[in-house]
Amino acid sequence: MSSVQTVTVLGATGSIGCSTLDVLARHPERFEVYALTANSRLDALFDQVLAHRPRYAVVQSESQAEVFLTRLKDNGLSTQVLYGEAGLCQVAAEADVCMAAIVGAAGLMPTLSAVRAGRKVLLANKESLVMAGQLFMDAVAESGACLLPIDSEHNAIFQCLPRFVDNGLDELGVSRILLTGSGGPFRQRPIATLSTVTPDEACAHPNWSMGRKISVDSATMMNKGLELVEACWLFRCPPSRIDVVVHPQSVIHSMVEYVDGSVLAQLGNPDMRTPIAHALAWPERIASGVGSLNLIAQARLDFEAPDEQRFPCLRLAREAAEAGGTASAILNAANEVAVAAFLDGQLAFTAIPQILEKVVESQENCEPRTLAIVQAADAEARERASRLIQAL
Ligand code: NAD
Ligand code: MG
């Protein structure tokens, strides 16, 4: 094995960030924490800095940085403090490995910074590929960055493939990808009651413990829709080659079907430390802290087709994937606004897809030739979604 690798964890205080630090702490002979970043939970960030002693901590604003630096110094810590997008982009580019685990569109520029520096990039922030897939993948090709998927489904698909997909699935003899999803907390709830579900009910995922935004996305199945777009870019395939399969137990994390009829699946307990450890050590394997899968206790693996009436977001995402252009950036931005409004108690759960559909219908789909075009589409969709929510 090579020497110790430095690791930046973008979004260190989040669900993926904490799981990443748990895995890193198990392998001090392999990894050294270079930088930790957080947006708001500075007490949690302080505890992480105390435990991991990174070279840098990155916070949101200059004023936060001053207060945080004083607190570190008062406690005898020599970690330097940076702030804002410039700080995030700097630490993302400087470490050997970048875990991209900021949630939402805010993750795009820091993740791209690591890509452009040609780093090993562990991608949890699916929104950056959904927003700017072509530009992102072009940047990967240009810099030679090693892009490894953390999303459990995409990590599973990657594990079921013989190598990276450079020229499409046909070259590898793959006929289709089976993207599995649990169906979330409302898979069986009477549809008529969905309009009154609370944010806490939507965030109570049956199998996974995650941040609140992705938890709501799982409840609407927009998460599976965003993952469909993500898979198209990562595995260079059209949406027609990807089938979504509802698998309530979340033991199979996705599958790949080959032209000879073979179907390969990756299984494991639903714990993100498995894909995180896989990508951190790839192509080697390291312990993750995840327990052994007990198939006897599990006893059953069930499968069903997704219910598009119950989950209109899935259809919207597939349509955006097929439309191309800025369609998925528009959908993603409107979704971030609608989900935040739902979590804030301003929007009914069932109004989320209604807002998205209206924004997508009303906004022009452009050719995303530059980041500026993507960012303008994102900003416009946010504004349209906000106006529609205010008008309710
Ligand atoms: P989370 O809400 O738990 O954590 C988000 C992190 O991002 C926090 O550290 C927060 O401080 C930081 N952050 C939020 N807004 C920011 C901003 N504007 N600028 C800078 N930093 C900001 O989210 P999570 O569940 O850990 O998810 C992170 C990403 O990983 C998401 O893109 C999600 O879709 C993806 N993902 C998560 C899981 C999971 O199991 N949690 C699984 C697959 C993919
Ligand atoms: Mg996933």
Side-chain angles (χ1 to χ4, degrees):
M1 197 197 74
S2 60
S3 58
V4 175
Q5 292 191 303
T6 56
V7 184
T8 282
V9 184
L10 301 173
T13 53
S15 164
I16 294 286
C18 291
S19 293
T20 303
L21 287 173
D22 180 281
V23 177
L24 291 174
R26 294 168 192 273
H27 303 281
E29 74 298 349
R30 281 182 180 252
F31 305 110
E32 185 184 302
V33 178
Y34 182 79
L36 298 173
T37 88
N39 201 40
S40 54
R41 298 181 50 221
L42 297 189
D43 288 338
L45 182 66
F46 179 81
D47 292 341
Q48 292 181 337
V49 169
L50 202 57
H52 296 276
R53 308 291 169 117
R55 178 157 341 161
Y56 292 106
V58 185
V59 297
Q60 196 183 18
S61 67
E62 186 172 9
S63 55
Q64 273 185 353
E66 278 171 19
V67 176
F68 197 69
L69 181 64
T70 305
R71 185 170 172 193
L72 293 180
K73 280 189 177 155
D74 289 349
N75 286 275
L77 294 163
S78 59
T79 296
Q80 296 169 52
V81 184
L82 306 175
Y83 61 90
E85 193 168 87
L88 294 172
C89 289
Q90 181 187 329
V91 298
E94 285 178 353
D96 298 320
V97 181
C98 178
M99 166 56 79
I102 289 173
V103 62
L108 174 62
M109 295 313 292
T111 308
L112 258 185
S113 173
V115 166
R116 286 170 171 159
R119 299 303 181 181
K120 179 169 175 177
V121 181
L122 313 189
L123 186 71
N125 177 252
K126 63 192 84 185
E127 294 92 345
S128 53
L129 267 185
V130 172
M131 280 180 78
Q134 186 68 59
L135 295 165
F136 192 99
M137 295 308 288
D138 287 350
V140 170
E142 201 175 313
S143 70
C146 176
L147 181 67
L148 295 171
I150 293 299
D151 216 339
S152 57
E153 296 76 7
H154 307 73
N155 183 273
I157 293 161
F158 180 69
Q159 291 197 48
C160 294
L161 291 170
R163 57 178 187 271
F164 285 100
V165 182
D166 293 321
N167 298 304
L169 296 180
D170 289 337
E171 190 183 66
L172 302 177
V174 172
S175 49
R176 66 180 174 136
I177 287 171
L178 295 145
L179 187 66
T180 55
S182 67
F186 303 143
R187 184 175 59 90
Q188 292 178 311
R189 186 170 170 133
I191 292 186
T193 67
L194 286 180
S195 60
T196 56
V197 298
T198 65
D200 283 345
E201 286 174 308
C203 289
H205 196 281
N207 308 329
W208 298 95
S209 154
M210 309 181 286
R212 284 174 83 78
K213 190 263 178 183
I214 185 179
S215 295
V216 176
D217 285 347
S218 297
T220 60
M221 281 196 85
M222 175 53 93
N223 184 48
K224 214 48 54 186
L226 299 177
E227 290 180 355
L228 174 81
V229 180
E230 181 186 13
C232 291
W233 290 113
L234 282 172
F235 306 115
R236 298 178 193 280
C237 74
S240 58
R241 298 279 285 269
I242 304 174
D243 288 346
V244 173
V245 179
V246 173
H247 163 47
Q249 292 91 356
S250 299
V251 167
I252 292 180
H253 300 308
S254 278
M255 296 172 262
V256 173
E257 184 180 85
Y258 287 83
V259 288
D260 61 6
S262 295
V263 178
L264 302 193
Q266 187 261 355
L267 287 73
N269 288 320
D271 186 322
M272 290 305 293
R273 291 177 300 173
T274 293
I276 291 167
H278 169 265
L280 275 170
W282 184 86
E284 296 172 26
R285 294 272 179 173
I286 57 173
S288 65
V290 176
S292 169
L293 175 64
N294 185 341
L295 278 174
I296 307 294
Q298 186 63 46
R300 294 185 54 149
L301 299 178
D302 294 311
F303 305 96
E304 58 192 56
D307 177 347
E308 291 217 342
Q309 221 199 319
R310 179 181 291 274
F311 301 114
C313 287
L314 197 50
R315 168 182 56 82
L316 292 172
R318 191 176 278 280
E319 285 169 2
E322 281 158 1
T326 47
S328 58
I330 293 167
L331 187 69
N332 177 65
N335 182 57
E336 287 190 26
V337 171
V339 169
F342 167 69
L343 285 172
D344 246 22
Q346 291 168 37
L347 191 69
F349 181 76
T350 42
I352 296 173
Q354 292 167 3
I355 298 287
L356 304 193
E357 184 134 39
K358 284 190 185 138
V359 173
V360 170
E361 273 172 7
S362 66
Q363 189 171 330
E364 193 195 348
N365 185 5
C366 308
E367 190 56 45
R369 278 175 287 105
T370 64
L371 270 182
I373 293 173
V374 170
Q375 283 160 337
D378 173 277
E380 185 182 337
R382 280 171 203 272
E383 207 184 301
R384 282 173 189 267
S386 301
R387 261 189 275 125
L388 286 165
I389 292 166
Q390 272 156 27
L392 284 178

